[in-house]
Amino acid sequence: MTTTRFAPSPTGYIHVGNLRTALMNYLIARKAGGTFILRIDDTDPERSKEEYVDAIKQDMEWLGLHWDRIERQSERLDRYADAADKLREMGRFYEAFETPTELDLKRKKQLNMGKPPVYDRAALNLSDAEKEALRAERGNGVWRFKLDHERIEWTDGILGDISIDAASVSDPVLIRGDGQVLYTIASVVDDTEMGVTDVVRGSDHVTNTATQIQIIEALGGACPRFAHHSLLTGPQGEALSKRLGTLALRDLREQGVQPMALLSLMARLGSSDPVELRSDMAELIEGFDVNRFGAAPTKFDVQDLFPLTAKHLQSLPLADVADAVADAGVPAELAESFWEMARENITTLGDLKGWWELCRDGAEPLIADEDREFIAEAVALLPEGPFDGETWGTWTKAVKEATGRKGKGLFMPLRKALTGMERGPEMATLLPLLQVIRARG
Ligand code: GLU
């Protein structure tokens, strides 16, 4: 059975880049009728914060990315310790004592000599007595996994056939000197024990994948299918990493971006299928295929989310936005007609308030000197209330007859006088909502 997971580290708020990973894994699971796990990668007790765990859950719920199970790595430390023991017994695990400065020096030397900066395995030559002495001097060493120096190969769901020479990769550190288990082994143990069949993650994890494949094999697990999506860049192709802080999902939510707009963009951006606004999750699932994504960096422009949000809102019935309409201050008896008027004139629900203020308080009229008389005449011709959808037509017909004006010369000064703007909603829909005029009528 297909099982996928989204595995954020709760060290910050999740952003559009994380969402891409979450969504792809979610859609794969749902499309196959499988299981989607939310896995909290919280093995780092210093950087992991409970508030971020809560925030991740909130963001996922907001988007409707419901998980079937939640797992926390901090509750599974004994499993990782067992796996580490197993690797130790197999002779695939060794303790190394280099300090970060020493490692850095080694790397620089290798680079100077035109060699790849791969850990030289000097620790493998330490005698027990030397290790004792180093331990006494520096404390416990780190534990590295001894890679088999052969080619590591897999067929990637996005990148195609991959072949990496293990000798070009440093033996990964799986346990730190202070005993903290690192993600590389924790993730392997979880993926294996939780029966994860498909792993989609960013292409920054490709080397990790190579080493994890060997660890999985050493532990006797089954390898999931891997797919590595490209990383997002800004609209000009610039690195997004620094700006991701401002592209947190909660910031987008604050700005009024609608979940469906965000999901529709992310389910297609960087794939050979066009971005299309989807109306619900079922459509997203139906139209998703991870194999159609490309390896090239994917340009993301936050501005693209707003036209999609506007389009999505336009399609909604009042029932779906009733809370927002009420929050904008619209009385219940006007909600239906207000929404009819406003839906095509907003980008986000945050714009409702402005339209309601216009309806409630009227606008500062925009009247050109040459139109003053005309407007006075028109006001005198305003029909008696109650106003409805016909009022605008009846009124402007009367004004036309009385003043001889027609077309733009007739309608534009009226629009500007009533709304203070040259463009906006259908006047026929807006007029009955204008409380000031209504009071006069
Ligand atoms: N916690 C890891 C990350 O956020 C998970 C990577 C993975 O999907 O394996 O990068």
Side-chain angles (χ1 to χ4, degrees):
M1 161 146 113
T2 300
T3 301
T4 65
R5 83 304 194 273
F6 170 51
S9 305
T11 54
Y13 296 119
I14 50 175
H15 48 67
V16 283
N18 305 120
L19 167 61
R20 203 152 175 243
T21 312
L23 180 60
M24 289 186 181
N25 285 294
Y26 175 85
L27 294 175
I28 289 174
R30 291 291 172 260
K31 194 159 188 169
T35 302
F36 176 64
I37 302 174
L38 174 60
R39 190 183 84 197
I40 305 292
D41 283 6
D42 55 354
T43 51
D44 182 340
E46 256 144 54
R47 296 181 58 225
S48 301
K49 299 260 180 313
E50 219 39 48
E51 69 175 282
Y52 294 128
V53 176
D54 293 341
I56 289 167
K57 290 193 211 162
Q58 266 175 20
D59 290 344
M60 299 279 286
E61 273 161 6
W62 171 62
L63 290 164
L65 300 181
H66 305 296
W67 53 91
D68 302 299
R69 246 164 76 194
I70 184 161
E71 297 281 355
R72 296 189 63 142
Q73 292 196 324
S74 57
E75 290 166 4
R76 295 175 44 81
L77 299 178
D78 51 340
R79 320 297 297 215
Y80 312 143
D82 285 352
D85 285 344
K86 220 167 149 188
L87 294 175
R88 222 171 261 126
E89 277 160 28
M90 284 187 288
R92 296 295 297 271
F93 224 19
Y94 63 96
E95 200 175 5
F97 296 89
E98 287 88 349
T99 62
T101 320
E102 284 169 350
L103 289 173
D104 206 39
L105 265 176
K106 284 189 188 200
R107 267 194 295 270
K108 281 188 182 133
K109 264 194 197 161
Q110 288 168 314
L111 287 170
N112 277 342
M113 285 160 47
K115 288 190 184 160
V118 177
Y119 176 61
D120 62 6
R121 297 183 157 177
L124 279 178
N125 301 322
L126 295 172
S127 66
D128 285 348
E130 284 168 323
K131 285 190 207 163
E132 255 330 298
L134 280 165
R135 222 174 272 129
E137 186 196 318
R138 301 182 172 184
N140 288 332
V142 301
W143 286 88
R144 288 184 184 265
F145 175 72
K146 190 164 167 258
L147 290 166
D148 272 340
H149 282 177
E150 57 188 25
R151 296 203 78 87
I152 306 169
E153 302 188 324
W154 75 93
T155 300
D156 194 281
I158 293 174
L159 304 176
D161 286 336
I162 301 280
S163 171
I164 291 178
D165 180 4
S168 70
V169 180
S170 295
D171 288 339
V173 173
L174 302 189
I175 298 189
R176 289 203 324 200
D178 62 3
Q180 189 185 307
V181 173
L182 293 181
Y183 148 79
T184 310
I185 186 167
S187 185
V188 159
V189 172
D190 291 345
D191 287 341
T192 307
E193 292 188 3
M194 296 172 194
V196 170
T197 55
D198 295 81
V199 172
V200 183
R201 54 191 175 192
S203 52
D204 49 337
H205 280 288
V206 166
T207 309
N208 262 338
T209 298
T211 62
Q212 287 183 341
I213 286 175
Q214 281 207 3
I215 303 171
I216 295 170
E217 283 167 356
L219 291 171
C223 260
R225 283 181 288 270
F226 288 101
H228 295 84
H229 60 71
S230 64
L231 300 184
L232 295 179
T233 71
Q236 259 43 270
E238 71 277 21
L240 207 56
S241 47
K242 290 215 182 67
R243 286 189 27 225
L244 282 174
T246 64
L247 294 172
L249 301 189
R250 51 198 41 226
D251 296 328
L252 300 179
R253 177 158 79 231
E254 282 281 294
Q255 290 170 45
V257 168
Q258 284 286 312
M260 249 323 134
L262 188 52
L263 296 172
S264 297
L265 184 68
M266 285 302 164
R268 284 289 177 81
L269 197 66
S271 83
S272 48
D273 294 318
V275 171
E276 288 163 317
L277 179 67
R278 299 303 183 144
S279 56
D280 57 27
M281 200 59 94
E283 270 186 35
L284 274 176
I285 295 167
E286 169 72 33
F288 178 78
D289 182 355
V290 74
N291 303 129
R292 295 182 66 82
F293 282 78
T298 302
K299 287 187 181 148
F300 168 78
D301 188 344
V302 69
Q303 292 310 325
D304 292 342
L305 292 169
F306 293 98
L308 286 169
T309 290
K311 198 169 167 200
H312 171 70
L313 289 174
Q314 260 176 44
S315 73
L316 297 181
L318 174 66
D320 290 2
V321 293
D323 288 349
V325 170
D327 287 349
V330 182
E333 69 277 12
L334 295 180
E336 192 72 55
S337 53
F338 175 81
W339 178 240
E340 276 316 301
M341 177 281 295
R343 63 199 292 168
E344 291 185 0
N345 292 282
I346 54 171
T347 304
T348 69
L349 290 174
D351 297 338
L352 290 177
K353 198 155 173 277
W355 288 118
W356 174 244
E357 281 166 4
L358 170 71
C359 293
R360 188 191 58 203
D361 306 334
E364 188 61 38
L366 203 59
I367 306 173
D369 281 343
E370 67 269 24
D371 289 330
R372 277 195 197 286
E373 219 172 290
F374 164 73
I375 294 295
E377 264 188 274
V379 169
L381 286 167
L382 254 181
E384 294 289 306
F387 284 6
D388 58 24
E390 306 293 311
T391 311
W392 173 256
T394 328
W395 181 38
T396 48
K397 194 161 169 255
V399 176
K400 183 178 171 183
E401 274 160 19
T403 63
R405 288 210 192 194
K406 54 183 192 227
K408 210 175 162 199
L410 169 69
F411 298 116
M412 189 53 93
L414 291 175
R415 173 183 286 282
K416 284 179 5 191
L418 289 169
T419 68
M421 290 174 285
E422 291 190 356
R423 254 178 296 275
E426 282 291 324
M427 288 306 293
T429 342
L430 180 64
L431 190 65
L433 284 158
L434 291 174
Q435 305 298 293
V436 182
I437 302 295
R438 227 176 139 99
R440 274 205 231 164

